[in-house]
Amino acid sequence: DIAFLKYISGVLRRDGKDVLDLEEMELNGELIFFPLGGSSLALWTSRLEPLSRPEFHLFDRDTAPPEEAKYQKHADEINNRDRCKAVITQKREMENYLHYEAINEAYEQVSNIELGLNENFGEHDDVPLSIAKIVHELSGSPNQWEDLKADAKDKKISKAKRILNHVAAPLMTIDRLDEIDPDKQVLSWFQDMEQMIEN
């Protein structure tokens, strides 16, 4: 997710949007990324509070409406703190903001695999899982996806996430982002970050 944000920051800047250069800001020590999740989430969000620094938290929704977002309670607590903002993705997770053309190109570059995607995934589809299944089927393996052991599936899903965030994200363009994110939620994250820094 950190890679996704840094690459999308570069994509937006390259296409003329005046957003924060997250890569450069991290290198200059102007911001720190904390990858949080699971049991460490509550611990770290409370541990950061005494520092009294601006905090921007971005949570994957993970669950489809009408079910409440997985981290809604944590987001509400953070939003009650001074100089802190927590946002939850409208889509399932970061990978749902990647255009199918960027995903196709990423797999052609990295693995010389033609995924053949011809439309974007749904807002609440599990994109890394879907891609891992497609790649497995294209591999010609005699084993069906359903027959694989859990750890083998997890490795394939993890590899898909890596390619999506590190290879497909840089292949995004403003037009592709506009198509998959017409509500401009991704852009709003950067606007929120900038507003917090300015205040």
Side-chain angles (χ1 to χ4, degrees), residues 1 15 27 36 51 59 69 79 91 94 98 101 106 112 119 133 137 149 158-159 183-184 192 196:
D1 290 352
D15 286 350
L27 290 171
L36 304 174
L51 298 176
F59 297 109
N79 283 325
K91 300 177 189 281
M94 295 292 183
L98 292 170
E101 290 173 349
N112 204 26
E119 62 182 359
K133 281 183 176 178
E137 288 163 9
K149 292 184 177 175
S158 180
K159 183 176 181 181
D183 295 335
K184 301 194 184 311
D192 287 341
M196 294 183 72

PDB file of all heavy atoms in Angstrom, residues 1 15 27 36 51 59 69 79 91 94 98 101 106 112 119 133 137 149 158-159 183-184 192 196:
ATOM      1  N   ASP A   1       0.820  -1.212   0.000  1.00  0.00           N
ATOM      2  CA  ASP A   1       0.000   0.000   0.000  1.00  0.00           C
ATOM      3  C   ASP A   1       0.860   1.270   0.000  1.00  0.00           C
ATOM      4  O   ASP A   1       0.513   2.275  -0.607  1.00  0.00           O
ATOM      5  CB  ASP A   1      -0.946   0.006   1.204  1.00  0.00           C
ATOM      6  CG  ASP A   1      -2.044  -1.057   1.057  1.00  0.00           C
ATOM      7  OD1 ASP A   1      -2.149  -1.676  -0.024  1.00  0.00           O
ATOM      8  OD2 ASP A   1      -2.789  -1.265   2.012  1.00  0.00           O
ATOM      9  N   ASP A  15       1.377  13.982 -14.371  1.00  0.00           N
ATOM     10  CA  ASP A  15       0.272  14.430 -15.220  1.00  0.00           C
ATOM     11  C   ASP A  15      -0.286  15.791 -14.810  1.00  0.00           C
ATOM     12  O   ASP A  15      -1.414  16.138 -15.135  1.00  0.00           O
ATOM     13  CB  ASP A  15      -0.833  13.373 -15.240  1.00  0.00           C
ATOM     14  CG  ASP A  15      -0.449  12.154 -16.076  1.00  0.00           C
ATOM     15  OD1 ASP A  15       0.577  12.227 -16.777  1.00  0.00           O
ATOM     16  OD2 ASP A  15      -1.159  11.143 -16.043  1.00  0.00           O
ATOM     17  N   LEU A  27      12.165  10.605   1.846  1.00  0.00           N
ATOM     18  CA  LEU A  27      13.633  10.660   1.784  1.00  0.00           C
ATOM     19  C   LEU A  27      14.184  11.833   2.590  1.00  0.00           C
ATOM     20  O   LEU A  27      15.254  11.743   3.199  1.00  0.00           O
ATOM     21  CB  LEU A  27      14.101  10.757   0.329  1.00  0.00           C
ATOM     22  CG  LEU A  27      13.916   9.501  -0.524  1.00  0.00           C
ATOM     23  CD1 LEU A  27      14.213   9.779  -1.988  1.00  0.00           C
ATOM     24  CD2 LEU A  27      14.783   8.364  -0.008  1.00  0.00           C
ATOM     25  N   LEU A  36       0.474  -0.412   9.257  1.00  0.00           N
ATOM     26  CA  LEU A  36      -0.239  -0.959  10.417  1.00  0.00           C
ATOM     27  C   LEU A  36      -1.366  -1.866   9.967  1.00  0.00           C
ATOM     28  O   LEU A  36      -1.927  -1.698   8.894  1.00  0.00           O
ATOM     29  CB  LEU A  36      -0.831   0.181  11.254  1.00  0.00           C
ATOM     30  CG  LEU A  36       0.128   1.249  11.752  1.00  0.00           C
ATOM     31  CD1 LEU A  36      -0.639   2.367  12.435  1.00  0.00           C
ATOM     32  CD2 LEU A  36       1.148   0.647  12.703  1.00  0.00           C
ATOM     33  N   LEU A  51       2.895  12.134  20.611  1.00  0.00           N
ATOM     34  CA  LEU A  51       3.843  12.919  19.811  1.00  0.00           C
ATOM     35  C   LEU A  51       3.219  14.216  19.309  1.00  0.00           C
ATOM     36  O   LEU A  51       3.919  15.144  18.929  1.00  0.00           O
ATOM     37  CB  LEU A  51       4.348  12.099  18.622  1.00  0.00           C
ATOM     38  CG  LEU A  51       5.125  10.828  18.971  1.00  0.00           C
ATOM     39  CD1 LEU A  51       5.486  10.060  17.700  1.00  0.00           C
ATOM     40  CD2 LEU A  51       6.380  11.158  19.771  1.00  0.00           C
ATOM     41  N   PHE A  59      -7.203   3.471   5.655  1.00  0.00           N
ATOM     42  CA  PHE A  59      -7.594   2.094   5.909  1.00  0.00           C
ATOM     43  C   PHE A  59      -8.297   1.492   4.695  1.00  0.00           C
ATOM     44  O   PHE A  59      -9.146   2.150   4.085  1.00  0.00           O
ATOM     45  CB  PHE A  59      -8.561   2.005   7.094  1.00  0.00           C
ATOM     46  CG  PHE A  59      -7.993   2.464   8.393  1.00  0.00           C
ATOM     47  CD1 PHE A  59      -8.418   3.656   8.972  1.00  0.00           C
ATOM     48  CD2 PHE A  59      -7.040   1.710   9.071  1.00  0.00           C
ATOM     49  CE1 PHE A  59      -7.909   4.079  10.184  1.00  0.00           C
ATOM     50  CE2 PHE A  59      -6.520   2.126  10.281  1.00  0.00           C
ATOM     51  CZ  PHE A  59      -6.950   3.314  10.837  1.00  0.00           C
ATOM     52  N   ALA A  69     -17.267  -0.904   7.588  1.00  0.00           N
ATOM     53  CA  ALA A  69     -15.863  -1.084   7.226  1.00  0.00           C
ATOM     54  C   ALA A  69     -15.108  -1.730   8.388  1.00  0.00           C
ATOM     55  O   ALA A  69     -15.387  -1.447   9.556  1.00  0.00           O
ATOM     56  CB  ALA A  69     -15.234   0.256   6.870  1.00  0.00           C
ATOM     57  N   ASN A  79     -10.261  10.107  14.228  1.00  0.00           N
ATOM     58  CA  ASN A  79     -10.872  11.367  13.786  1.00  0.00           C
ATOM     59  C   ASN A  79     -11.329  12.238  14.951  1.00  0.00           C
ATOM     60  O   ASN A  79     -11.614  13.426  14.761  1.00  0.00           O
ATOM     61  CB  ASN A  79     -12.023  11.091  12.822  1.00  0.00           C
ATOM     62  CG  ASN A  79     -11.519  10.735  11.437  1.00  0.00           C
ATOM     63  OD1 ASN A  79     -10.504  11.249  10.978  1.00  0.00           O
ATOM     64  ND2 ASN A  79     -12.215   9.827  10.765  1.00  0.00           N
ATOM     65  N   LYS A  91     -13.549   1.589  -2.030  1.00  0.00           N
ATOM     66  CA  LYS A  91     -13.423   0.267  -2.629  1.00  0.00           C
ATOM     67  C   LYS A  91     -12.821  -0.689  -1.591  1.00  0.00           C
ATOM     68  O   LYS A  91     -12.412  -0.261  -0.519  1.00  0.00           O
ATOM     69  CB  LYS A  91     -12.536   0.325  -3.876  1.00  0.00           C
ATOM     70  CG  LYS A  91     -13.080   1.251  -4.979  1.00  0.00           C
ATOM     71  CD  LYS A  91     -12.108   1.324  -6.146  1.00  0.00           C
ATOM     72  CE  LYS A  91     -12.495   2.382  -7.156  1.00  0.00           C
ATOM     73  NZ  LYS A  91     -13.561   1.957  -8.057  1.00  0.00           N
ATOM     74  N   MET A  94      -6.576  -1.003  -1.861  1.00  0.00           N
ATOM     75  CA  MET A  94      -5.828  -0.186  -2.818  1.00  0.00           C
ATOM     76  C   MET A  94      -5.828  -0.765  -4.233  1.00  0.00           C
ATOM     77  O   MET A  94      -5.942  -0.039  -5.212  1.00  0.00           O
ATOM     78  CB  MET A  94      -4.365  -0.037  -2.374  1.00  0.00           C
ATOM     79  CG  MET A  94      -4.165   0.699  -1.102  1.00  0.00           C
ATOM     80  SD  MET A  94      -4.578   2.431  -1.267  1.00  0.00           S
ATOM     81  CE  MET A  94      -4.140   2.963   0.364  1.00  0.00           C
ATOM     82  N   LEU A  98      -6.601   0.159  -9.322  1.00  0.00           N
ATOM     83  CA  LEU A  98      -5.712  -0.055 -10.464  1.00  0.00           C
ATOM     84  C   LEU A  98      -6.527  -0.414 -11.703  1.00  0.00           C
ATOM     85  O   LEU A  98      -7.389  -1.297 -11.664  1.00  0.00           O
ATOM     86  CB  LEU A  98      -4.709  -1.175 -10.160  1.00  0.00           C
ATOM     87  CG  LEU A  98      -3.668  -0.849  -9.087  1.00  0.00           C
ATOM     88  CD1 LEU A  98      -2.893  -2.094  -8.692  1.00  0.00           C
ATOM     89  CD2 LEU A  98      -2.715   0.245  -9.569  1.00  0.00           C
ATOM     90  N   GLU A 101      -5.860  -2.081 -17.649  1.00  0.00           N
ATOM     91  CA  GLU A 101      -4.793  -1.965 -18.654  1.00  0.00           C
ATOM     92  C   GLU A 101      -3.416  -1.933 -17.988  1.00  0.00           C
ATOM     93  O   GLU A 101      -2.459  -2.527 -18.486  1.00  0.00           O
ATOM     94  CB  GLU A 101      -4.999  -0.707 -19.504  1.00  0.00           C
ATOM     95  CG  GLU A 101      -6.200  -0.795 -20.429  1.00  0.00           C
ATOM     96  CD  GLU A 101      -6.500   0.510 -21.139  1.00  0.00           C
ATOM     97  OE1 GLU A 101      -5.915   1.554 -20.780  1.00  0.00           O
ATOM     98  OE2 GLU A 101      -7.344   0.487 -22.057  1.00  0.00           O
ATOM     99  N   ALA A 106       1.594  -4.710 -16.614  1.00  0.00           N
ATOM    100  CA  ALA A 106       2.518  -5.124 -15.554  1.00  0.00           C
ATOM    101  C   ALA A 106       2.901  -6.588 -15.713  1.00  0.00           C
ATOM    102  O   ALA A 106       4.076  -6.958 -15.615  1.00  0.00           O
ATOM    103  CB  ALA A 106       1.894  -4.882 -14.183  1.00  0.00           C
ATOM    104  N   ASN A 112       5.892 -11.884 -18.762  1.00  0.00           N
ATOM    105  CA  ASN A 112       5.534 -12.203 -20.148  1.00  0.00           C
ATOM    106  C   ASN A 112       4.240 -13.018 -20.216  1.00  0.00           C
ATOM    107  O   ASN A 112       4.091 -13.934 -21.009  1.00  0.00           O
ATOM    108  CB  ASN A 112       6.684 -12.952 -20.843  1.00  0.00           C
ATOM    109  CG  ASN A 112       6.615 -12.791 -22.349  1.00  0.00           C
ATOM    110  OD1 ASN A 112       6.078 -11.824 -22.854  1.00  0.00           O
ATOM    111  ND2 ASN A 112       7.152 -13.769 -23.062  1.00  0.00           N
ATOM    112  N   GLU A 119     -11.772  -5.540 -18.675  1.00  0.00           N
ATOM    113  CA  GLU A 119     -12.583  -4.604 -17.898  1.00  0.00           C
ATOM    114  C   GLU A 119     -12.021  -4.520 -16.482  1.00  0.00           C
ATOM    115  O   GLU A 119     -11.261  -5.398 -16.050  1.00  0.00           O
ATOM    116  CB  GLU A 119     -14.051  -5.040 -17.860  1.00  0.00           C
ATOM    117  CG  GLU A 119     -14.290  -6.379 -17.202  1.00  0.00           C
ATOM    118  CD  GLU A 119     -15.756  -6.782 -17.226  1.00  0.00           C
ATOM    119  OE1 GLU A 119     -16.584  -6.012 -17.742  1.00  0.00           O
ATOM    120  OE2 GLU A 119     -16.074  -7.865 -16.709  1.00  0.00           O
ATOM    121  N   LYS A 133      -5.341 -16.301  -9.097  1.00  0.00           N
ATOM    122  CA  LYS A 133      -6.065 -17.435  -9.708  1.00  0.00           C
ATOM    123  C   LYS A 133      -5.851 -17.471 -11.221  1.00  0.00           C
ATOM    124  O   LYS A 133      -5.602 -18.533 -11.798  1.00  0.00           O
ATOM    125  CB  LYS A 133      -7.569 -17.329  -9.420  1.00  0.00           C
ATOM    126  CG  LYS A 133      -7.989 -17.765  -8.042  1.00  0.00           C
ATOM    127  CD  LYS A 133      -9.517 -17.659  -7.953  1.00  0.00           C
ATOM    128  CE  LYS A 133     -10.028 -18.168  -6.631  1.00  0.00           C
ATOM    129  NZ  LYS A 133     -11.492 -18.031  -6.534  1.00  0.00           N
ATOM    130  N   GLU A 137      -4.012 -20.411 -13.376  1.00  0.00           N
ATOM    131  CA  GLU A 137      -4.679 -21.130 -14.469  1.00  0.00           C
ATOM    132  C   GLU A 137      -3.883 -21.041 -15.769  1.00  0.00           C
ATOM    133  O   GLU A 137      -3.777 -22.010 -16.517  1.00  0.00           O
ATOM    134  CB  GLU A 137      -6.095 -20.579 -14.673  1.00  0.00           C
ATOM    135  CG  GLU A 137      -7.050 -20.980 -13.556  1.00  0.00           C
ATOM    136  CD  GLU A 137      -8.310 -20.135 -13.511  1.00  0.00           C
ATOM    137  OE1 GLU A 137      -8.542 -19.338 -14.448  1.00  0.00           O
ATOM    138  OE2 GLU A 137      -9.065 -20.258 -12.519  1.00  0.00           O
ATOM    139  N   LYS A 149      -2.725 -25.995  -1.363  1.00  0.00           N
ATOM    140  CA  LYS A 149      -2.689 -25.774   0.083  1.00  0.00           C
ATOM    141  C   LYS A 149      -2.754 -24.281   0.366  1.00  0.00           C
ATOM    142  O   LYS A 149      -2.373 -23.451  -0.466  1.00  0.00           O
ATOM    143  CB  LYS A 149      -1.414 -26.376   0.672  1.00  0.00           C
ATOM    144  CG  LYS A 149      -1.398 -27.893   0.604  1.00  0.00           C
ATOM    145  CD  LYS A 149      -0.176 -28.456   1.270  1.00  0.00           C
ATOM    146  CE  LYS A 149      -0.218 -29.975   1.242  1.00  0.00           C
ATOM    147  NZ  LYS A 149       1.011 -30.580   1.763  1.00  0.00           N
ATOM    148  N   SER A 158       0.330 -13.105  -2.428  1.00  0.00           N
ATOM    149  CA  SER A 158       1.338 -12.130  -2.005  1.00  0.00           C
ATOM    150  C   SER A 158       2.161 -11.652  -3.194  1.00  0.00           C
ATOM    151  O   SER A 158       2.462 -10.460  -3.322  1.00  0.00           O
ATOM    152  CB  SER A 158       2.236 -12.769  -0.945  1.00  0.00           C
ATOM    153  OG  SER A 158       3.223 -11.868  -0.522  1.00  0.00           O
ATOM    154  N   LYS A 159       2.516 -12.563  -4.088  1.00  0.00           N
ATOM    155  CA  LYS A 159       3.270 -12.185  -5.287  1.00  0.00           C
ATOM    156  C   LYS A 159       2.431 -11.262  -6.168  1.00  0.00           C
ATOM    157  O   LYS A 159       2.932 -10.273  -6.714  1.00  0.00           O
ATOM    158  CB  LYS A 159       3.689 -13.436  -6.062  1.00  0.00           C
ATOM    159  CG  LYS A 159       4.536 -13.117  -7.279  1.00  0.00           C
ATOM    160  CD  LYS A 159       5.033 -14.360  -7.986  1.00  0.00           C
ATOM    161  CE  LYS A 159       5.899 -13.972  -9.181  1.00  0.00           C
ATOM    162  NZ  LYS A 159       6.388 -15.152  -9.915  1.00  0.00           N
ATOM    163  N   ASP A 183     -14.991   9.314  -8.747  1.00  0.00           N
ATOM    164  CA  ASP A 183     -15.277  10.189  -7.604  1.00  0.00           C
ATOM    165  C   ASP A 183     -14.023  10.897  -7.087  1.00  0.00           C
ATOM    166  O   ASP A 183     -14.103  11.679  -6.139  1.00  0.00           O
ATOM    167  CB  ASP A 183     -15.903   9.377  -6.454  1.00  0.00           C
ATOM    168  CG  ASP A 183     -17.259   8.806  -6.832  1.00  0.00           C
ATOM    169  OD1 ASP A 183     -17.922   9.374  -7.726  1.00  0.00           O
ATOM    170  OD2 ASP A 183     -17.647   7.776  -6.248  1.00  0.00           O
ATOM    171  N   LYS A 184     -12.869  10.561  -7.683  1.00  0.00           N
ATOM    172  CA  LYS A 184     -11.581  11.180  -7.336  1.00  0.00           C
ATOM    173  C   LYS A 184     -11.234  11.002  -5.855  1.00  0.00           C
ATOM    174  O   LYS A 184     -10.724  11.903  -5.204  1.00  0.00           O
ATOM    175  CB  LYS A 184     -11.559  12.656  -7.727  1.00  0.00           C
ATOM    176  CG  LYS A 184     -11.789  12.871  -9.225  1.00  0.00           C
ATOM    177  CD  LYS A 184     -11.430  14.267  -9.652  1.00  0.00           C
ATOM    178  CE  LYS A 184     -11.731  14.528 -11.123  1.00  0.00           C
ATOM    179  NZ  LYS A 184     -11.243  13.543 -12.055  1.00  0.00           N
ATOM    180  N   ASP A 192      -6.207  15.904   1.393  1.00  0.00           N
ATOM    181  CA  ASP A 192      -6.294  15.843   2.857  1.00  0.00           C
ATOM    182  C   ASP A 192      -4.906  15.913   3.486  1.00  0.00           C
ATOM    183  O   ASP A 192      -4.697  16.631   4.469  1.00  0.00           O
ATOM    184  CB  ASP A 192      -6.978  14.540   3.300  1.00  0.00           C
ATOM    185  CG  ASP A 192      -8.475  14.546   3.037  1.00  0.00           C
ATOM    186  OD1 ASP A 192      -9.054  15.633   2.849  1.00  0.00           O
ATOM    187  OD2 ASP A 192      -9.072  13.445   3.020  1.00  0.00           O
ATOM    188  N   MET A 196      -3.454  18.955   5.972  1.00  0.00           N
ATOM    189  CA  MET A 196      -2.954  18.693   7.320  1.00  0.00           C
ATOM    190  C   MET A 196      -1.570  19.278   7.528  1.00  0.00           C
ATOM    191  O   MET A 196      -1.261  19.794   8.601  1.00  0.00           O
ATOM    192  CB  MET A 196      -2.909  17.182   7.574  1.00  0.00           C
ATOM    193  CG  MET A 196      -4.286  16.552   7.603  1.00  0.00           C
ATOM    194  SD  MET A 196      -4.176  14.823   7.998  1.00  0.00           S
ATOM    195  CE  MET A 196      -3.740  14.928   9.725  1.00  0.00           C
TER     196      MET A 196
END
